[in-house]
Structures are given as structure tokens and as C-alpha cells.
Amino acid sequence: MGNKILTQYDVEKEPCYYSVDLKWRLHSASFKERPDDKLTIFLFEKKHVEKYAKNTKEQILEVLRKDATSLQRLRHPQILSVIEALSEERSTLAFATKPVVGTVAQLLENNRHELSSLEMKCGLLDLAEAVQFLHQDAKTAHLNLSPSAVFIDPQGRWLLGSLGHSVSGVQWGQLVDCPFAFAPGAERPGELSHEPPQRYAAPEMCNMPCKCGLESDIFALGLITYELMCSDRQPLLRSAPRGFTPSTVRQSSVPADLYSVLIKVLSVNPTERPTIAAFINSEFFMDVNLRAIRFLEQLNEKDETQRVTFLKGLPKLLTDMQSPLCSQRVLRERVLPRLCNALLFPTLYGVVVPIIISLLKREKVSDSAHFQAKIWPSLKPLYTAKEIPIEVVTLFLKELDLQVALASQSEQQAVLLPFLLRCLELQEPVILNEVLEKVPYLHKKFEYRQVKDQILPRMLQLLLNSTVVKVKVQVLMGLSRIFEIFDKTTITDTILSAFEKLTRTDRTPAVCMCLLGCYDAMSKFLGPKATSEKILPLIAPLLVEESLSFEQWETQLSVCKKLLQRVEAARRKDYDSRREAQAEAGAALGSEVTPGALRQETKQAEPQDFESLLFAGTAKAASPAASPPKAPPPPSAGSAAG
């Protein structure tokens, strides 16, 4: 494949598409220095025409040359755009265009029912506008309109190409001699030809003498329209239209709003066919969903007022789930990418972002791969934008879990977490409320150390440094929902320490009551020991806070008693467990130890006299000398007699 164009780019070896009607082989390629920037190489190897007669071979090559040069000369949004001019070398011809993913013919070959009727209608409007440009501005008849001449770009737009048979300088109503002659039976399937495919040609091009004009394109456009919009999506003709009559078209086989104009377009008499402008303005294209997509595609060309008015009205069209506009594929491929393009205008953030978020939440409209490739590159800059409406920031926070689920792990850490941290540093209550609401649900998405070392310190800093009571209350309520994710040491040494510092500077009733709720929840989580050692010393001083109302004081007292009862219950349970353990130990040693026996043993072990009571626990109390001497036994009867 020796050609200088092929050496300038990284070109995939295997073609992404080829057909006999197209002649060119399409190769996906990218810029060597910018791998993400794609293009398409149109390549033709001359060896494929070596078997043909010399005259036929040269005619085929001339059609290919004219195709490339005509595309380079004619510029329009719906015309295939050349970015590297034709390069002809000894064995090849090649030129490069903006990226395309294939042709309409390829789409029909793979699955004739893949695209919805709305998508087909969008494509036909693209095609009709390209033909309108050729007819009205370039005064050019295409003469090769067929599915193989219509290309599809990565955004789903249809682009007209294959201009190798076009004739310039033609006026409407003026038929000229055809530059080629369709001889009956001359078309050989599977072989290259210098003529366009006969089954998409107009009748006047196939009759003798062969004539053609702008009207010939209208007939071909009608054949394509029928094939795409009829119920079974099959071509109307299988060969040249000799003997064709419009009565072949059954009214029930096409949409009701298409039939009347289609019959005129397919008229055998060229003078009875409508102009391309009349076709575009027919009832068939007066579809609100189609016009919405087209307006969205051309949003950049509209003024500010038109953009805002349209975007405010668009959600109404998107609420009807049965509407063709709301099909998953249309939303995914046609609507969302265009909405993302609108984010180039900062003044539209407030109306565009809510629509994008609402569509992302719909089932199967997007997934991680689609979001990261098509949506995220446009949304990402907004997370670091210096000027952005507070409503958008709030919405981002409210739906942060959605974006975390769709974004890559690296983008979560590089963009979403820093965004969350910056929001924690703001003094705006609405934003703080949202961010504190989200932290409990998002902590599992971030590493524990990030939550502990980055999110928690900012929350505590906000708690201690803010002068707004409402902000402090929001932080305390947020901490009451998330403290359980931290280890107990962090709670006791970091969070409770911050609470202690807070009570030294702020004992307003709202803060006191929020602290009370935190203490109650933490007491349940930490247990009786931490409650006794760490929490009760913090809650007890609040009982003498003068600013509390009677009802608030009663609540404080009630919670304080509850915490004491938790400690009491735990201690009693502990002592009961000990007694049961002692009883079990005694039973295991073969002696039955009853509670009464234990009490008797305890009573006997207690000091029984004055000095023992005074010196209990000392060496003197334990000394045998301190015990009084026992009285001698009385004399026996034998001793007395002796």
C-alpha cells in the first residue's frame, strides 16, 4: 500500500468498509502525533482494474479522481470533508477525510432495522440538505445518489460523497446529455463500473437518448427514501427503472405523511417532480422531534435567546417516554452528545446540565464506557470552573453518586474527590447541606484513608471555624450520619476532642441539641466504657447551660440519664456474669456455693471487733498477736478427785 498519505498517518491495515459501488476501500487512521484525532483514508489500488479493458480502466480511474477533487472543492456541513487532498502514485490513489464509520449501504447490509424511523428521517434530512446545496448553490447534479454514496460520521450525521459522476452548470428544468450510457444488460454484479448503479438511476437516464439533470437526483432521492422508510425496508427497484410507474408504491407501505410527496418525487416525467426545497418543506419533515434534533445540532449557530428558549422547552419533549425522541439509541447517539456540545457556552450551564443529568439517570441510555467517551470530556471542566451557577454545583452534589458510578477510578480521585473537598470549604449553606448529605453514601467509593485524612478534617475545621450557627448544625448533623465509618480511636480522639473545643466557644441551644444527638448516637456505638470516660464528662456541663429552654434542658437531662442507665445496665450485667462464673466454678470443684453461703463467707471475713475495724487491711489487723487468748478448758472430773 505504498502512498505518501499512508505513511503520514497510523493506518489500520484492514479496511472498515468496501463495496463494488463505492470502489474505494475505507481505512480508519489517526494522526501520529495525536492518536486520539481520527480520520478516514480512502484508498484504491490500481491492480483491481488491471483485468478490465484499457478504456474501461481509465474511465474508472477518472471517476475516482473526480470524486476526490470535487469533494475537495465543495464545502458544506452535509458534504464529506476532505482534509488531505488526492495523492496518486504508480499503484494507488488515496485521500483523507474527517472520520466516518461506514455508509448507509453498509448499515442496510448489516441490519436494515437497526435505526429507528426518526433516525432514518434525520439522515434523509441531512442528505436532502446536501442535495439542496449542490442544486441551489453549486448548480451541480450528483447523478450517483445511492446508499453507497452516503457516509455516516461518528456522531451519526449523514454526509454525501461519491461525486465522481456529477455534472456542473446545470439549471432546474434543463436536461442535458448524460455523460454515460446505460446499455440494457450491461450491469454486471460484483464488477467495477465507471457508471453509477442503475437501480438508483432516474428513468430519463436509462432511456435513449440518455438525459439527466437536477430532477434526476430527486428521483434517486425518492428511491432511497422509500427503501429507508417503507415497512419492510427493501429497495423499490432491483434493476434500471425501465417501465416503472409510481403506482408500484403501495400507500400502506410508507408513513402517511410521506406518501403524497413520494408519489410526486417518483414521477416518471422529470417536469412533475418537486424541487429539493419543496421536498424538504413537505409534511414528512414537519416533525417536531426531527426539528428538535436538527435545532440541537445547529445550536452553535443560534443566538443566545434562541438557545435558552429551545433548551427550556426541550424537557417537555423528553417527558413522553413513548416518543421517538426518547428511544434509548436516539438519546444516546443524537441528543446527549449535542447537549454536551452546548456546554461550550457557560451561560447555558444552568439549563443544559439538568437535562443531561436527567437523561443519564434513565435506564440503558448510558453506561460507563459511553459516559467516559462521550459525556465526561464535556462535563469534566465544569467541576473546576471558576464561575458556575450555584444550582449546578448543588445538582452535581445531589447526583454525585451517579457520576461516581459512571466515571473511571482515576477520574473519581482526580476530579470528583477534590470537587467534594472544595465544596466542604465553602460557607454556602445550600451547598454544604448537599455535600454533607452525600458523604455517608459516597465514603465507600473513596478509600478509607481519604475520608479520614481529607474529608473529616475539613468537616471539623468547618465546625470549629465557622461563625454561622446553621453551618455548624449542618456539620454536626452530617457527622452524626457518618461517624460509624471511622474507627473508635478516631471518634474518641479526633471527633469528640473537636466537640469539646466547640463547647468552649459555642453553647447556643441549636449547637447544644445537635451535640446531644451526636453524643447519644456515639454512646450506643462506642459502648459503656467510652460513654463513662469520654461522653458523660462532655454532656454533663450542658445541663447547667443557661441559654437552654426548659424543654431543651429536660431533653438534655433525659439523654444524660439514658447514658447513665446504659453504663449502669452494662455494669450490672458484668457483675451478674461474675457471680454466675463463680457459681459455675464452685460447682465444677464439687461444692455447691449458694448466694447465701457467699454472703455468710463474706460476713465471716469482715472485721468483728473495734480494733479490727480500725486497722482493717493493715499488718496489725492481720497479726495473730492481736487476737485475744482463748480461755483454758474446764477441769475434768478425774482431775478434781485427785
Side-chain angles (χ1 to χ4, degrees), residues 383 393 396-397 400 415-424:
Y383 286 90
V393 176
F396 276 160
L397 288 170
L400 198 57
V415 179
L416 297 180
L417 178 59
F419 169 74
L420 190 69
L421 297 177
R422 284 194 300 275
C423 290
L424 277 171

Side-chain angles (χ1 to χ4, degrees), residues 276-292:
I276 188 62
F279 180 62
I280 289 175
N281 291 315
S282 68
E283 185 184 358
F284 176 63
F285 288 115
M286 296 300 111
D287 181 335
V288 66
N289 296 309
L290 169 64
R291 292 295 170 178

Side-chain angles (χ1 to χ4, degrees), residues 502-513:
L502 177 64
T503 53
R504 294 176 192 159
T505 58
D506 190 341
R507 288 194 181 182
T508 54
V511 170
C512 288
M513 299 310 290

Side-chain angles (χ1 to χ4, degrees), residues 205-269:
M205 296 170 65
C206 302
N207 298 328
M208 300 302 289
C210 299
K211 296 290 183 178
C212 63
L214 303 182
E215 295 87 343
S216 305
D217 288 343
I218 301 299
F219 187 90
L221 183 58
L223 292 175
I224 296 173
T225 302
Y226 176 88
E227 183 172 353
L228 298 178
M229 298 305 300
C230 70
S231 54
D232 57 358
R233 292 192 176 174
Q234 294 297 321
L236 183 62
L237 303 175
R238 298 290 179 178
S239 59
R242 296 183 179 92
F244 169 79
T245 61
S247 60
T248 308
V249 179
R250 301 190 321 275
Q251 186 170 353
S252 60
S253 64
V254 296
D257 56 1
L258 173 62
Y259 180 75
S260 60
V261 71
L262 186 61
I263 291 299
K264 296 176 182 177
V265 164
L266 293 175
S267 175
V268 175
N269 187 347

Side-chain angles (χ1 to χ4, degrees), residues 8 16 33 48 51 68 151 185 213 237 250 254 280 300 321 332 338 341 351 425 513 527 540-541 551 592 599:
Q8 288 178 263
C16 60
E33 65 278 12
H48 296 300
K51 65 179 181 178
F151 299 84
L237 303 175
R250 301 190 321 275
V254 296
I280 289 175
N300 294 358
M321 294 301 178
R332 182 185 180 97
R338 271 71 176 193
N341 292 340
V351 286
E425 295 171 355
M513 299 310 290
E551 291 77 10
E592 184 177 351
R599 285 195 296 271

Side-chain angles (χ1 to χ4, degrees), residues 598-619:
L598 286 172
R599 285 195 296 271
Q600 182 65 28
E601 181 181 338
T602 302
K603 184 176 180 181
Q604 291 175 355
E606 291 176 354
Q608 299 298 315
D609 55 36
F610 179 75
E611 287 192 4
S612 297
L613 289 172
L614 293 179
F615 295 97
T618 66

